[in-house]
Amino acid sequence: MNCTEEFIAKMKQKDIVINFVQAWRNDTLEESYARLDKPTRLHAYSVSKSVTSIGVGLAVQEGLLRLDDPVLRFYPEYDPAELAPNLRRMTVRDLLMMGCGSKDKMFFWNDAQRLQCRDWQDYFLHNEFPYEPGTRFEYNNFNSYMCSCIVERAAGCTLKDYMTPRFFDKLGIGNPDWLTCPMGHSAGANGLFLSIDEMSHIGQFLLHDGCWNGEQLLDPAYLHEAEKNQYPVNAPKHGYGYFFWTNPDDESYRADGMYGQYIVVVPKSKAVITVQALDSKKFFDDVWSELVVPFLNKG
């Protein structure tokens, strides 16, 4: 058996449902697995956050915004005196780091409040931010959602529409499916639907420092910053960049979505491993130790 087949056998023993796996090296698909009869777009959950980071990078590249821009620069209709003091100091970079300084996680995809709250931007801007922005990691979907809305305000169209000609179309991700909030803004934090092939395309784009089919779509300097740990202290395990997680080797990185959606990029080995699953068990440690590491070692 190859590495992917051994991994699938072990996951079956643990009753973990894996839908698709692809393992690429040197731009060649070496191993794959499919539980379903053909690739289909599935909810990528928080892999969406990493795509949102790419969208922010594109907006920075085009001069629409800067990472050190205050969040409130994009909300002139709000009176800063009526908002939390730390919100006045919060920047786009703080959002990308999951460092808005909120008191809690606010609400997530499956929370009841998501079904009741209509204006998510106003909800965020009137929240409490007791911690200095950029100093404390707190995983919060609103960091990514607000980045989506800021790009929209800077570009004059939704994040999905902004990224379509600049990114999705280039990678062959035609007519992208991205859910919106009740006000019609791209969700940013989640809601993007991708096939395993499309996830692998994104992984190859990242592996090649923002280059696709010989065209440099995104400044490599932004991606290099986005992929590395941004927290000298108080970091999550192994570290966190701009909506990207650092892997256990402390060098490579990944996009990581709920229920087992992963785009693992290992630049040193020129490898990309993508996984689509549907299981509530947290099993990235298994993906790393039982799939990624054996695949890298076999070469």
Side-chain angles (χ1 to χ4, degrees):
M1 291 195 296
N2 63 29
C3 299
T4 298
E5 290 167 340
E6 291 181 355
F7 168 72
I8 294 299
K10 291 174 181 177
M11 295 304 97
K12 286 181 177 178
Q13 290 175 358
K14 296 185 176 185
D15 292 324
I16 293 175
V17 177
I18 307 293
N19 289 322
F20 296 98
V21 175
Q22 290 187 354
W24 294 73
R25 193 191 331 255
N26 296 320
D27 301 328
T28 299
L29 179 60
E30 293 190 3
E31 299 181 10
S32 64
Y33 165 82
R35 188 179 70 87
L36 306 178
D37 60 350
K38 63 180 180 179
T40 186
R41 282 183 174 170
L42 302 172
H43 193 174
Y45 290 97
S46 288
V47 167
S48 310
K49 293 179 172 67
S50 300
V51 177
T52 295
S53 178
I54 293 169
V56 171
L58 290 169
V60 170
Q61 179 173 276
E62 294 189 348
L64 298 178
L65 58 87
R66 297 172 300 171
L67 296 187
D68 292 325
D69 279 340
V71 169
L72 290 182
R73 176 200 155 193
F74 302 95
Y75 292 89
E77 69 270 31
Y78 284 81
D79 181 356
E82 298 179 356
L83 303 174
N86 277 330
L87 177 56
R88 303 171 210 165
R89 294 187 281 272
M90 190 188 306
T91 67
V92 174
R93 189 189 308 274
D94 296 328
L95 296 175
L96 286 166
M97 296 167 55
M98 289 288 177
C100 68
S102 59
K103 67 174 182 176
D104 55 35
K105 299 180 185 297
M106 302 187 189
F107 61 79
F108 280 90
W109 180 261
N110 292 324
D111 292 344
Q113 194 169 3
R114 173 185 170 272
L115 307 179
Q116 301 162 358
C117 178
R118 179 167 176 78
D119 191 337
W120 296 2
Q121 291 176 90
D122 187 72
Y123 170 86
F124 176 87
L125 293 169
H126 282 104
N127 223 283
E128 296 179 33
F129 298 94
Y131 304 102
E132 182 181 351
T135 63
R136 180 177 179 270
F137 178 87
E138 177 70 54
Y139 194 80
N140 181 330
N141 275 356
F142 274 86
N143 289 287
S144 314
Y145 171 73
M146 291 299 292
C147 281
S148 171
C149 294
I150 285 170
V151 171
E152 179 176 335
R153 284 179 170 238
C157 59
T158 66
L159 178 64
K160 185 193 83 169
D161 288 346
Y162 175 71
M163 293 186 71
T164 293
R166 297 164 175 83
F167 177 73
F168 291 123
D169 283 350
K170 302 282 189 179
L171 270 64
I173 304 174
N175 297 324
D177 298 303
W178 204 332
L179 299 181
T180 65
C181 74
M183 303 290 282
H185 312 298
S186 299
N190 43 44
L192 181 62
F193 285 71
L194 296 167
S195 71
I196 192 68
D197 294 333
E198 292 168 339
M199 287 175 64
S200 292
H201 287 181
I202 294 171
Q204 296 291 336
F205 163 86
L206 294 168
L207 180 67
H208 291 289
D209 295 329
C211 186
W212 183 260
N213 286 340
E215 182 180 2
Q216 192 69 50
L217 303 181
L218 181 57
D219 183 0
Y222 175 83
L223 284 177
H224 293 164
E225 193 71 13
E227 296 154 4
K228 71 180 184 181
N229 177 39
Q230 296 296 318
Y231 287 90
V233 295
N234 302 324
K237 187 177 181 181
H238 302 298
Y240 195 80
Y242 297 159
F243 302 149
F244 287 97
W245 295 88
T246 308
N247 288 327
D249 61 358
D250 296 321
E251 294 180 345
S252 61
Y253 61 95
R254 72 185 183 276
D256 186 320
M258 190 166 66
Y259 302 140
Q261 326 311 317
Y262 303 110
I263 302 174
V264 181
V265 184
V266 188
K268 182 187 292 185
S269 301
K270 298 181 180 179
V272 171
I273 296 92
T274 50
V275 177
Q276 286 183 311
L278 187 61
D279 208 293
S280 59
K281 305 179 188 72
K282 296 183 183 299
F283 64 96
F284 179 73
D285 288 346
D286 291 313
V287 171
W288 181 259
S289 62
E290 304 294 347
L291 175 61
V292 176
V293 171
F295 178 72
L296 299 180
N297 289 340
K298 84 163 192 175

